[in-house]
Amino acid sequence: MKKIFLFDLDSTITKEEILPSISKSINKEDEMRKLTEMTMMGEISFEESFKSRVDMLKDIPVSEVAEKISNISLNQELVKFLNKHKDICYIVTGNLDVWIDKLMKKIGMENNYFCSKASVSNNKITKISKILQKDEVVAKFKDYIVAIGDGSNDYKLLEKANLGVAFGGVRNIAPSLLEVCDYAIYDEKRLAEFLERLIEE
Ligand SMILES: [Mg+2]
């Protein structure tokens, strides 16, 4: 059966959480990091926290945020996997389209991602028009789904997937995710090799 791979973006493909790294540039790093940690550990809801985090960054021009995000460091073994298997790989992220489009282009995934959406006017975010529920993406496919993620916001994604892989190569895997995953892998190279073997099966 055909396999489709759904990848979380933050701390799965990227080597750090995206929004906290952006907040550094406006000295809101501590505030942002706290909120992100709480969200990843499941202490506050993703929607609530995401709105607050977008609010914190909404005064930075959208193009500037997109540029910064496009330069974030990446797990290259996973990027290689994405490029090699572009027809069966998708990024699934709560991040905003207007912020990550440049990064998606850079890694060749511009036609292969699902994300939250925002309206922009004069280079500023005016409204969040959609917050992506990651598990809704699983229902779009009739294939065997392999999902890869690290945070509690990946819980439903991994739960609904046929095979859930938690990745702990960047940060600690969220405790809730450890309960629902089929595998936990802590090294980027091993993860890429593991996924490669799944394709060959
Ligand atoms: Mg993540």
Side-chain angles (χ1 to χ4, degrees), residues 2-4 6 138 141 143-147 160-164:
K2 187 183 170 191
K3 292 190 178 82
I4 294 285
L6 303 179
V138 177
F141 297 94
D143 313 276
Y144 184 95
I145 300 291
V146 180
K160 293 210 173 150
N162 298 94
L163 190 84

Side-chain angles (χ1 to χ4, degrees), residues 8-14 16-17 40 92-93 134 148-154 167 171 177:
D8 164 49
L9 180 62
D10 278 69
S11 298
T12 296
I13 300 299
T14 68
E16 55 184 321
E17 288 291 310
M40 292 305 105
V92 179
T93 174
K134 290 191 174 193
I148 304 102
D150 71 296
S152 66
N153 62 331
D154 299 312
F167 178 52
R171 49 184 287 138
L177 208 59

Side-chain angles (χ1 to χ4, degrees), residues 1-74:
M1 193 180 183
K2 187 183 170 191
K3 292 190 178 82
I4 294 285
F5 294 80
L6 303 179
F7 287 86
D8 164 49
L9 180 62
D10 278 69
S11 298
T12 296
I13 300 299
T14 68
K15 279 191 188 294
E16 55 184 321
E17 288 291 310
I18 290 177
L19 298 188
S21 87
I22 302 304
S23 67
K24 267 185 218 165
S25 61
I26 53 163
N27 294 321
K28 288 191 176 172
E29 193 183 0
D30 288 348
E31 209 179 324
M32 177 69 81
R33 197 165 295 281
K34 243 179 246 165
L35 208 49
T36 304
E37 287 299 326
M38 284 167 74
T39 318
M40 292 305 105
M41 299 315 277
E43 289 164 22
I44 51 171
S45 79
F46 179 78
E47 287 78 10
E48 190 189 336
S49 137
F50 186 67
K51 281 181 189 157
S52 313
R53 287 181 290 157
V54 170
D55 223 44
M56 244 181 249
L57 303 180
K58 74 175 188 318
D59 293 329
I60 315 177
V62 170
S63 57
E64 203 177 298
V65 177
E67 178 64 28
K68 284 191 165 87
I69 291 177
S70 74
N71 289 314
I72 209 153
S73 22
L74 305 170

Side-chain angles (χ1 to χ4, degrees), residues 100-113:
I100 63 163
D101 54 358
K102 207 166 179 186
L103 173 63
M104 292 299 105
K105 242 180 236 151
K106 186 179 170 184
I107 62 172
M109 297 297 281
E110 66 270 30
N111 297 315
N112 297 49
Y113 69 104

